[in-house]
């Protein structure tokens, strides 16, 4: 039972919440405990808030998930976890998440006030998404991308770090790119088995998604390059060589497009990030070069 509860809260998906650290990393305060501690608490709070959302989603979608070739193995859909236990896990996850926001106030100052509000908005938005909005094509992927922006907003709120419009734009575009790639996997499952994992799947097709993914991938890379050559950013970072990191971003985007359109492995962006070695090299290389430029 405990193993099934762990599967229910999907700890492997917590990787997405690393976006909370984005403002800290780009601010050059990543070595200062007064900034690191509240960011870690915000990260943990978002992890538990997201786990509560996963519980709600699995409860709400249990019947539909049983028709899906992969999702039918989820704990609630398979019957491994009953709905009462899933509701209890959801409530406990959210309770601990808000307890962490209260803890953040004690280790910082008034900058922590917005974290609880951000979590509430995130949970409400995702409940609306699970119940209704994910069935509307295009709106569904825009809501997913908004959730990632909320993560970096939380990271900025708990540290008092002002968010650059470049960070917001690049995060939103990258999340939208990944969400569209995931939708392509839903379409592939529908075309192969005739099973609709969601009712809006017939409002997408592979041709539209291939074009949309290509457009979003291109815009994301251009936005990042404009960020690296921005005079304001170069002055704030103290370096004119940020553009060097664009190589890793371009390689990562192209690799993900290859995995999506050639290998058909875009069903779980988190699994791709965990298991694909080429993506690992891109991420580690980007972090290493950027860290050297910022902190060396």
């Amino acid at each position: 039972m405990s193993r099934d509860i762990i599967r229910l809260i999907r700890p492997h998906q917590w990787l997405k919440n690393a976006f909370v650290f984005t403002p800290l990393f780009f601010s050059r305060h990543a070595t200062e405990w007064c900034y690191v501690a509240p960011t870690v608490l915000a990260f943990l709070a978002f992890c538990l808030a997201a786990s509560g959302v996963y519980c709600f989603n699995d409860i709400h979608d249990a019947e539909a998930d049983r028709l899906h070739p992969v999702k039918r193995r989820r704990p609630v859909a398979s019957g491994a976890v009953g709905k009462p236990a899933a509701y209890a896990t959801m409530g406990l996850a959210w309770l601990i998440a808000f307890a962490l926001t209260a803890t953040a106030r004690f280790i910082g100052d008034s900058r922590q006030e917005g974290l609880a509000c951000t979590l509430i908005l995130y949970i409400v938005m995702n409940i609306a998404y699970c119940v209704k909005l994910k069935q509307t094509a295009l709106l569904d992927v825009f809501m997913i991308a908004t959730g990632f922006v909320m993560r970096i907003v939380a990271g900025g709120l708990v540290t008092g770090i002002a968010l650059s419009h470049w960070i917001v734009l690049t995060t939103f575009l990258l999340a939208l790119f990944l969400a569209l790639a995931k939708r392509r996997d839903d379409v592939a499952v529908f075309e192969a088995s005739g099973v609709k994992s969601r009712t809006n799947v017939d409002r997408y097709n592979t041709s539209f998604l291939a074009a949309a993914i290509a457009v979003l991938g291109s815009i994301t890379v251009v936005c990042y390059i404009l960020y690296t050559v921005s005079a304001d950013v170069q002055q704030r970072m103290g370096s004119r060589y940020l553009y060097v990191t664009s190589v890793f971003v371009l390689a990562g985007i192209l690799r993900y497009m290859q995995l999506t359109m050639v290998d058909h492995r875009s069903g779980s962006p988190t699994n791709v990030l965990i298991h694909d070695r080429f993506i690992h090299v891109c991420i580690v290389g980007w972090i290493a070069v950027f860290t050297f430029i910022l902190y060396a």
Side-chain angles (χ1 to χ4, degrees):
M1 182 67 171
S2 59
R3 182 178 299 176
D4 293 317
I5 292 294
I6 291 173
R7 288 175 53 222
L8 178 67
I9 64 175
R10 306 186 203 178
H12 66 285
Q13 296 287 356
W14 290 355
L15 183 63
K16 299 174 183 177
N17 300 306
F19 277 85
V20 170
F21 291 95
T22 303
L24 175 66
F25 180 75
F26 286 103
S27 69
R28 305 177 75 177
H29 292 300
T31 59
E32 300 175 39
W33 181 248
C34 61
Y35 288 91
V36 173
T39 304
V40 170
L41 287 174
F43 167 76
L44 294 174
F46 250 94
C47 288
L48 290 165
S51 288
V53 170
Y54 296 141
C55 293
F56 179 86
N57 178 77
D58 283 11
I59 295 167
H60 183 268
D61 287 359
E63 297 301 323
D65 286 347
R66 292 187 181 107
L67 303 176
H68 193 278
V70 176
K71 295 179 181 179
R72 66 186 179 187
R73 302 189 187 98
R74 288 178 173 174
V76 178
S78 66
V81 176
K83 288 187 176 181
Y87 275 120
T89 304
M90 176 187 72
L92 180 62
W94 285 344
L95 180 64
I96 298 174
F98 284 104
L100 288 171
T101 67
T103 303
R105 292 195 182 98
F106 290 107
I107 67 171
D109 53 32
S110 60
R111 297 177 304 189
Q112 323 302 328
E113 292 297 323
L115 178 58
C117 294
T118 305
L119 278 183
I120 291 171
L121 183 59
Y122 174 82
I123 291 171
V124 170
M125 183 186 76
N126 277 280
I127 289 175
Y129 173 83
C130 294
V131 172
K132 183 68 177 177
L133 299 181
K134 70 178 180 182
Q135 307 301 345
T136 304
L138 294 182
L139 178 60
D140 58 338
V141 291
F142 274 83
M143 295 213 40
I144 291 172
T146 301
F148 279 86
V149 172
M150 293 177 73
R151 289 171 168 89
I152 65 170
V153 168
L157 286 172
V158 296
T159 55
I161 297 170
L163 296 179
S164 162
H165 63 279
W166 293 112
I167 292 178
V168 175
L169 279 172
T170 304
T171 299
F172 182 81
L173 291 169
L174 178 61
L176 195 56
F177 168 81
L178 295 174
L180 285 167
K182 191 176 189 310
R183 287 295 169 269
R184 192 181 188 283
D185 184 75
D186 292 335
V187 170
V189 170
F190 172 61
E191 291 178 346
S193 65
V195 174
K196 290 185 179 181
S197 59
R198 57 189 71 236
T199 59
N200 69 1
V201 73
D202 53 4
R203 297 299 298 153
Y204 293 111
N205 60 43
T206 52
S207 298
F208 167 77
L209 288 169
I213 290 167
V215 169
L216 261 298
S218 301
I219 295 174
T220 302
V221 172
V222 170
C223 184
Y224 183 81
I225 292 173
L226 288 174
Y227 158 74
T228 63
V229 299
S230 167
D232 291 341
V233 172
Q234 290 181 351
Q235 182 178 8
R236 186 169 68 251
M237 300 295 184
S239 175
R240 296 180 298 164
Y241 300 105
L242 296 174
Y243 66 87
V244 174
T245 61
S246 300
V247 174
F248 299 103
V249 174
L250 177 59
I253 291 290
L254 288 175
R255 173 59 173 172
Y256 204 90
M257 291 177 68
Q258 181 186 51
L259 293 172
T260 300
M261 299 180 186
V262 179
D263 300 333
H264 309 294
R265 288 174 49 198
S266 60
S268 174
T270 303
N271 286 338
V272 170
L273 293 176
I274 292 174
H275 298 294
D276 189 77
R277 292 183 180 178
F278 191 98
I279 295 288
H280 295 168
V281 171
C282 293
I283 293 173
V284 172
W286 179 84
I287 292 174
V289 174
F290 219 114
T291 300
F292 178 81
I293 291 173
L294 288 183
Y295 297 97

